[in-house]
């Protein structure tokens, strides 16, 4: 369009191209970015001939070499095409692209009160103590800590966990049996999912599970092709005597310390019985110890794993005790399964950050972890006490089931009222979950009566929002029938 | 054995049990730990009757309540059995367990010199700058950062990556298209492995790959059931024109900036051609930009992804530029694949640590990442120069193939000599890899001549060990034929 002093049939000069280079910084990179952007936005269409580099250089006030280099780079990248005798043109395939729609443009409406279960109070993460542990750990770490790492997990963390789990949870946790992973779901995947799984479906048999549990876990197992067989629950926990009549079952997943979500511990006789079953059957018990550190009325019952480390896979995580943001969990395995889990995990995919592993090891060794757990135990106990007291005053007919433990409580509801209570909660801006979603679809009412209930995560809100959330909860509870 | 004042047929008193409690700390926990250990070690065999708690308490000089509590706990845990009238006995199922063998008792012999490819110099990790970024990031983070997190990755990191990748690599990387994962292998798994994969085999067709590549990646793909079709390489990179004759191929995995491991860039015409192929075929190009930041002779060629973000999946990682210990990678996806990758990733498995993600975001935004990359670029360039100079002096007949880039170089060897050179290296205590292991087994000599070579990872050793490693390498190179 412009006839420049250099002559030639130019379709555009630098200024027609609306190329604006920032006042500072590398000229060459800036010119390349501006040209790419002009092509992307469609201002320069495929086939458009560009001015010779020396013209563009003069026009933009930059060195000729710089413009020539930028053209050459963009040719190498495929944005431009250079043909002997016909100059430089915009390449045919460099089509403009519509900007990606923003998938979060409309944010989800946020609940005024959040009592969903499953997470610790995010505002209580011990930032300063964690950072201090990180500084000590990373300063002292050997150089190899910044290399590819051990798929089993950092030795420092496995040592710290072995001591801690033996002391706090009665786990027989020799560091050689520990495999660090990125949380409970990752552990389930390693055990059940994919061709390299430790217990691949269907050859590894069915998996018995508790009649109530996380739908997320059931879904993960179903996608992995695992058949789950529900064990009804009663006041003593899962009815593990039912295992005897199911020859297809080869392993059982339990929450012995604190049934999730209904809240009772597994009776001592059943703890013993399920280990006996595993021995007789050549089977495995998977012990999900998701919140074993949090018991408020007495010392926690120790882990089942201690009864027979060769028959129990112990599964723990920092997600409840510290934060789910770390993505750190651990498996304490029977000796004969360690290599198989490592094979499933993969050599070059240590998954959990080695830097976080080092920091957690130091946090445990220095006593910071215990201190944090003690602090949170007091806080959650106070919250549970407040919930129980508020209910006693405002809805004394509502039973809080389960032991004084964990990060959630179950409020029993009259049969048939759960759905309407959840509706009232949603209307009131209260996020809370009903018990029905936790029930295994394979459990008939004859095997176990259907109970209505609310699963109340009292750990979730920050301190300042907790009392209002409980008040909102009391507001929506139905009057006695 | 001892007749105690309390009478009764006791099999053991506290001292006979060899229970030793530490002088300080909780008596109850200590007694429980000591009893568990006695059962585990086999000193207390199943069926053994224990002394009444009051006898044990007197014997150990502890409160009666403490001993009674400890017994009750251990009964609840299944270690002991309490029967009305017959006292407390060691439970039948509490068998002693052999300590796990130490699988690392015999450490692998370590090489004197390590020139294996695939990792940055672990001694160069910027500990202080990283810790400082972590302190700023974690101090400033909102509380929700310590909650369950966004499976797509922290918004802070996706914003920082979008800016950085556009600026440094010419990637069109809107934050909405970025999914954070735990590295390249995790990205491959999300795309190809399992029932929830984005490109499940066999329905998603075959995957074309370069004739040379990591056996680890081929293995991962093979286990996922993916058929890989090798594209021969020549001086212009992968022969992508071969895609036209393979209607079964629906996607292609390339290392366009720096072919891994042979070291050349993909020619501009082929960059354009492969994008055209993807458009015409409705296919996808997977761009593995594993070391795109490291080019020593000129500016790196920008990412292929910029040519068509709807047809190219860009895969990047911090493993080469910073450290593999972080387990952090990123995918820049075509808009239509974002939701499918997130579905494969799983809602509750954000995998990569949110704390590391926040720290990396701050490290990038504050310029620390650029500074580190510049520093390492100089260091690796110097190392490559030293390698080339040493070879020119001591083995001038050995060709260093590929461009001046990356963290490794390939030394060409005469056909048929690779195996004996590797043997000599092992004898000399030099860890280095041969080219043969990288060749796709499906490439015949007619499609591409077999070349011998060594893949030399010059980034791997710490500075002080590098010159000796290169000297050892020169020592084992064969004389010219």
């Amino acid at each position: 369009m412009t006839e420049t002093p250099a002559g030639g049939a130019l379709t555009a000069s630098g200024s027609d191209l609306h190329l604006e280079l920032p006042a500072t910084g590398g000229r060459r990179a800036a010119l390349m970015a501006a040209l790419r952007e002009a092509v992307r936005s469609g201002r320069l269409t495929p086939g458009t001939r560009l001015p010779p580099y020396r013209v563009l250089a003069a026009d933009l006030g930059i060195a000729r070499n710089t413009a020539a280099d930028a053209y050459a780079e963009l040719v190498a990248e495929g944005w431009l095409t250079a043909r002997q005798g016909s100059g430089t043109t915009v390449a045919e395939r460099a089509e403009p692209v519509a900007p990606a729609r923003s998938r979060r443009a409309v944010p989800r409406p946020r609940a005024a009160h959040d009592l969903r279960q499953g997470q610790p109070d995010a505002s209580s993460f011990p930032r300063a103590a964690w950072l201090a542990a990180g500084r000590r750990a990373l300063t002292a770490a050997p150089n190899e800590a910044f290399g590819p790492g051990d798929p089993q997990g950092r030795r420092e963390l496995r040592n710290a966990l072995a001591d801690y789990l033996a002391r706090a949870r009665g786990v027989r946790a020799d560091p050689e049996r520990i495999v660090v992973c990125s949380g409970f779901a990752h552990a389930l995947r390693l055990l059940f999912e994919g061709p390299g799984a430790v217990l691949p479906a269907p050859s590894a048999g069915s998996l018995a599970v508790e009649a109530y549990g996380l739908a997320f876990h059931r879904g993960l197992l179903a996608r992995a092709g695992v058949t789950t067989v529900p064990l009804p629950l009663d006041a003593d926990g899962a009815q593990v005597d039912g295992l005897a009549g199911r020859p297809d079952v080869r392993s059982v997943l339990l929450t012995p310390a604190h049934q999730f979500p209904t809240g009772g511990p597994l009776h001592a006789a059943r703890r013993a019985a399920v280990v006996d079953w595993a021995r007789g059957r050549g089977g495995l018990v998977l012990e999900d110890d998701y919140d074993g550190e949090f018991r408020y009325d007495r010392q926690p019952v120790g882990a089942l794993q201690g009864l027979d480390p060769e028959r129990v896979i112990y599964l723990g995580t920092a997600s409840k005790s510290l934060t789910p943001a770390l993505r750190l969990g651990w498996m304490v395995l029977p000796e004969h399964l360690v290599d198989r889990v490592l094979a499933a995990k993969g050599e070059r995919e240590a998954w959990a950050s080695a830097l976080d592993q080092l920091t957690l090891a130091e946090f445990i060794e220095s006593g910071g972890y215990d201190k944090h757990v003690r602090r949170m135990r007091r806080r959650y106990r106070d919250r549970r006490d407040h919930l129980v007291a508020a209910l006693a005053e405002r809805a004394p007919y509502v039973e809080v089931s389960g032991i004084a433990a964990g990060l959630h409580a179950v409020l029993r509801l009259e049969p048939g009222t759960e759905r309407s209570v959840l509706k009232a909660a949603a209307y009131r801006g209260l996020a809370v979950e009903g018990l029905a979603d936790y029930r295994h679809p394979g459990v008939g009412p004859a095997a176990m009566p259907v109970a209505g209930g609310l699963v109340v995560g009292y750990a979730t809100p920050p301190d300042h929002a907790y009392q209002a959330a409980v008040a909102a909860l009391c507001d929506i509870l139905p009057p006695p029938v």
Side-chain angles (χ1 to χ4, degrees), chain A residues 9-33:
Chain A
L10 300 182
T11 54
S13 79
S15 44
D16 283 346
L17 294 174
H18 303 286
L19 296 181
E20 288 180 28
L21 306 190
T24 60
R27 305 284 84 190
R28 191 168 139 292
L31 175 55
M32 286 176 67

Side-chain angles (χ1 to χ4, degrees), chain A residues 156-410:
Chain A
E156 295 90 336
L157 179 58
R158 291 187 284 119
N159 285 344
L161 283 172
D163 289 349
Y164 174 78
L165 293 174
R167 174 164 57 77
R169 303 293 301 124
V171 174
R172 186 174 177 82
D174 150 10
E176 296 297 335
R177 291 166 177 270
I178 298 180
V179 174
V180 177
C181 58
S182 72
F184 183 80
H186 185 210
L188 273 194
R189 286 189 185 233
L190 293 174
L191 292 173
F192 292 105
E193 190 182 272
V198 176
L199 303 167
S203 61
S206 305
L207 172 71
V209 297
E210 294 160 331
Y212 281 80
L214 264 187
F216 167 66
H217 294 165
R218 282 198 302 274
L220 192 156
L221 291 165
R223 281 192 300 280
V226 177
T227 303
T228 52
V229 175
L231 299 174
L233 301 168
D234 59 26
D236 291 340
Q239 295 172 9
V240 296
D241 51 339
L243 292 169
R246 293 293 305 234
D248 58 316
V249 171
R250 292 266 291 281
S251 47
V252 53
L253 172 61
L254 298 172
T255 49
H258 188 218
Q259 203 285 322
F260 184 83
T262 62
L266 188 65
H267 190 278
R270 289 190 179 168
R271 289 165 64 96
V274 74
V275 170
D276 281 346
W277 166 83
R279 286 181 182 165
R281 176 71 184 87
L284 284 169
V285 181
L286 279 56
E287 177 172 27
D288 177 6
D289 197 39
Y290 64 106
D291 68 359
E293 281 124 336
F294 295 104
R295 178 134 193 192
Y296 312 125
D297 52 344
R298 38 168 273 176
Q299 277 290 111
V301 170
L304 188 67
Q305 188 266 3
L307 291 183
D308 194 342
E310 295 305 335
R311 290 286 149 210
V312 181
I313 299 177
Y314 175 89
L315 302 162
T317 168
S319 293
K320 302 286 184 289
S321 56
L322 202 50
T323 170
L326 272 178
R327 308 314 313 149
L328 261 173
W330 39 87
M331 317 170 74
V332 186
L333 292 160
E335 168 66 17
H336 71 284
L337 289 180
V338 175
D339 286 335
R340 285 164 68 189
V341 169
L342 289 177
K345 203 176 178 214
E347 272 254 339
R348 309 210 186 183
E349 299 153 82
W351 300 105
S353 156
L355 309 191
D356 286 346
Q357 290 185 53
L358 288 167
T359 304
L360 180 58
E362 169 63 24
F363 195 59
I364 293 172
E365 296 280 7
S366 65
Y369 188 82
D370 283 82
K371 196 172 155 191
H372 178 68
V373 166
R374 280 197 303 273
R375 174 172 154 250
M376 298 316 292
R377 201 184 281 142
R378 285 193 300 273
R379 181 169 301 191
Y380 295 150
R381 187 193 54 213
D382 289 350
R383 289 193 181 188
R384 191 176 188 282
D385 289 349
H386 175 77
L387 174 68
V388 170
L391 289 169
E393 191 187 322
R394 296 196 48 196
Y397 44 85
V398 171
E399 181 204 349
V400 181
S401 72
I403 55 180
L407 281 61
H408 74 278
V410 172

Side-chain angles (χ1 to χ4, degrees), chain A residues 28-39:
Chain A
R28 191 168 139 292
L31 175 55
M32 286 176 67
L35 282 167
R36 281 197 203 101
E37 189 45 44
V39 175

